[in-house]
Amino acid sequence: NAGVTQTPKFQVLKTGQSMTLQCAQDMNHNSMYWYRQDPGMGLRLIYYSASEGTTDKGEVPNGYNVSRLNKREFSLRLESAAPSQTSVYFCASSTGQGADHFGDGTRLSIL
Amino acid sequence: KNQVEQSPQSLIILEGKNCTLQCNYTVSPFSNLRWYKQDTGRGPVSLTIMTFSENTKSNGRYTATLDADTKQSSLHITASQLSDSASYICVGGLFSGGYNKLIFGAGTRLAVHP
């Protein structure tokens, strides 16, 4: 039982490059979330998906896009990476009452 | 402004000792208060979730308390173990925009030394 799986675990990009962070959950949860965690700060919500087929902006959505591919998968895309997007990105899923299960994160550095 | 503040920022204790971590929250409309444990290099793992009507909840050696009047919560760790070394994150939940929005504190980093 894997829970929430994120790929890749680490990534280094150059400014302006694009990439997609992948997330999949095997708990049949309706809701999925993307957060970023920066040093000295709490996790901040980027985007969320309350159910398959729906997505909504969170607290810090600028520079990101998401796709809820199906009930299991929720991807986060950086179209043109900027150094300010250097962070640790966490995907989470829940039954709809807030984030319950987190993946182990993607550590992203943008040079 | 919705916010969660935790203290201390960091803490060192000896194995076997007890400790208490503090959390002050301003979250409205308040739905629930959560504590998570985050090991280095891993994602947060839920320890407890309390609604406004609950004032204490335990999970093994972890006991969380909630005072909804003063908007304070604490996490008490009993008989600490080396594996308790981690960051502990206090999270306030509120209903906003049709979903349960979570406001995360910055965490308390706990180091348990032998």
Side-chain angles (χ1 to χ4, degrees):
Chain A
N1 205 0
V4 177
T5 302
Q6 293 185 234
T7 56
K9 295 188 185 304
F10 303 91
Q11 184 70 47
V12 179
L13 293 177
K14 294 181 179 178
T15 298
Q17 288 185 315
S18 62
M19 80 160 295
T20 299
L21 281 61
Q22 306 287 353
C23 175
Q25 53 94 6
D26 61 4
M27 295 169 284
N28 202 35
H29 286 164
N30 286 322
S31 300
M32 297 186 73
Y33 310 81
W34 276 105
Y35 292 90
R36 60 178 289 172
Q37 186 176 39
D38 299 299
M41 300 180 66
L43 276 76
R44 292 180 292 168
L45 183 65
I46 304 171
Y47 270 92
Y48 70 98
S49 171
S51 61
E52 184 179 354
T54 68
T55 61
D56 286 286
K57 295 178 180 179
E59 184 183 354
V60 288
N62 291 344
Y64 306 96
N65 286 300
V66 291
S67 295
R68 183 74 183 267
L69 304 172
N70 47 55
K71 192 171 186 178
R72 290 187 64 249
E73 298 172 290
F74 189 37
S75 62
L76 178 72
R77 182 163 178 83
L78 286 70
E79 291 290 353
S80 178
S84 61
Q85 295 177 305
T86 293
S87 188
V88 182
Y89 291 85
F90 288 98
C91 177
S93 72
S94 79
T95 57
Q97 300 303 311
D100 285 342
H101 298 267
F102 285 82
D104 282 335
T106 294
R107 283 142 189 85
L108 180 62
S109 292
I110 300 164
L111 307 177
Chain B
K1 177 183 178 184
N2 290 310
Q3 60 184 21
V4 173
E5 296 181 342
Q6 295 186 241
S7 62
Q9 283 189 320
S10 61
L11 182 63
I12 299 173
I13 62 174
L14 293 177
E15 186 178 14
K17 298 296 186 183
N18 303 334
C19 68
T20 300
L21 313 181
Q22 302 291 343
C23 173
N24 293 326
Y25 65 93
T26 304
V27 171
S28 180
F30 178 75
S31 172
N32 55 77
L33 192 290
R34 303 163 183 239
W35 284 93
Y36 286 85
K37 178 186 180 187
Q38 184 176 21
D39 292 318
T40 300
R42 304 296 298 274
V45 174
S46 179
L47 293 175
T48 63
I49 302 175
M50 293 178 288
T51 64
F52 69 90
S53 62
E54 299 173 291
N55 56 25
T56 187
K57 182 163 282 189
S58 293
N59 178 355
R61 293 180 297 102
Y62 301 102
T63 299
T65 65
L66 175 65
D67 186 333
D69 292 330
T70 63
K71 295 183 170 55
Q72 295 179 325
S73 178
S74 65
L75 181 69
H76 186 75
I77 304 174
T78 303
S80 61
Q81 300 176 358
L82 297 179
S83 60
D84 291 331
S85 295
S87 286
Y88 292 85
I89 304 173
C90 178
V91 183
L94 63 132
F95 284 116
S96 175
Y99 79 105
N100 194 10
K101 180 179 180 180
L102 301 182
I103 309 298
F104 288 79
T108 292
R109 183 170 294 277
L110 175 66
V112 180
H113 290 184

